[in-house]
Amino acid sequence: MLLRVRVTLPDRPGTLGQVARTMGVCGADIVQVIVLERLGGRAVDDFTVVWPGAARVERLLAGLAAIPGVRVDGVWRAIGAPTTSGQDAELLAQVAANPVEGVAILVDAVPGLLAADWAVAAVVPVDWAARTGAAGEATVGYASWRAPVPPPLPEVTPLRARAISAPGGHFAVAPFGRAGLVLVVARERAGTPAAAAFHATEVDRLAQLVRAAAVILGDRLDLVGAPPVAANP
């Protein structure tokens, strides 16, 4: 199976090689490394690895913990193939080619791009700011195929893109900028070890996709979550 392993490590020569060698000794076959951050002498890297299903992940965690200065921030199962260049552009091209299903296409594709479990397009009431407990009143306009029913949505307000960690999981949210529509992407926190929270670079990527999709879809976003119009008898 594919696993995503997030590691914080010293940004100095040789440390990345130690991490890679340790993963190999433990049985992990590295298929991709993504550098999320390099700041203040530290780096945050996401490794996508092929992991033998019968092996215990604890062995990998122990091996990485033995490397000086290395911290494992999360290990979780990845959905789909590793991220490749051009996937975001391809997704937006699909949205533009079929705008009627544009939101559904975006919601279904985003979990695979961000190594998440599920996503929903949530509709927040237009007057959310004047309501008490308005976050709980968000409705689901469209849900990806793995989303629970009902999904455990965090406090969703259509203000800005951000990461949220709540009892129900780790979330990244990004507003479309109209109709109270917000894209919510989730990583479930169940299991040990658990998934990592969404990094700022992942939130930025989600926000860029949502902004571009909003430009492409325009007024069609107003129809998401709207009640169907009854046909005349």
Side-chain angles (χ1 to χ4, degrees):
M1 61 180 175
L2 281 179
L3 289 181
R4 183 68 65 92
V5 184
R6 180 164 299 171
V7 178
T8 297
L9 65 158
D11 188 15
R12 59 172 181 257
T15 305
L16 181 59
Q18 285 182 281
V19 170
R21 284 192 298 272
T22 299
M23 288 186 173
V25 169
C26 292
D29 181 13
I30 300 173
V31 294
Q32 186 179 61
V33 182
I34 299 174
V35 179
L36 297 176
E37 177 183 308
R38 297 181 70 179
L39 183 66
R42 303 283 290 174
V44 180
D45 294 348
D46 267 4
F47 294 82
T48 301
V49 304
V50 177
W51 182 254
R56 294 178 60 85
V57 177
E58 287 76 8
R59 181 187 178 194
L60 175 62
L61 297 178
L64 293 174
I67 304 173
V70 170
R71 183 185 75 236
V72 178
D73 296 328
V75 179
W76 67 103
R77 189 162 185 169
I79 300 173
T83 301
T84 59
S85 61
Q87 283 184 318
D88 291 10
E90 175 61 27
L91 172 56
L92 293 173
Q94 293 176 22
V95 171
N98 188 5
V100 173
E101 302 294 335
V103 172
I105 292 170
L106 183 66
V107 171
D108 279 333
V110 161
L113 296 181
L114 295 180
D117 292 300
W118 50 268
V120 300
V123 183
V124 179
V126 176
D127 60 343
W128 62 269
R131 298 191 181 196
T132 301
E137 299 177 8
T139 58
V140 175
Y142 187 87
S144 67
W145 69 277
R146 296 191 65 192
V149 181
L153 295 178
E155 182 178 351
V156 178
T157 52
L159 291 175
R160 59 182 175 83
R162 62 200 185 279
I164 302 171
S165 290
H170 298 296
F171 302 90
V173 301
F176 284 84
R178 65 183 301 153
L181 192 61
V182 182
L183 186 56
V184 182
V185 187
R187 288 182 186 140
E188 297 176 352
R189 301 180 75 169
T192 303
F198 286 91
H199 191 269
T201 57
E202 296 175 304
V203 176
D204 288 344
R205 184 184 182 189
L206 178 65
Q208 291 170 13
L209 282 170
V210 168
R211 285 195 298 267
V215 172
I216 294 170
L217 297 176
D219 294 344
R220 292 184 182 275
L221 294 176
D222 298 334
L223 303 177
V224 177
V229 178
N232 293 327

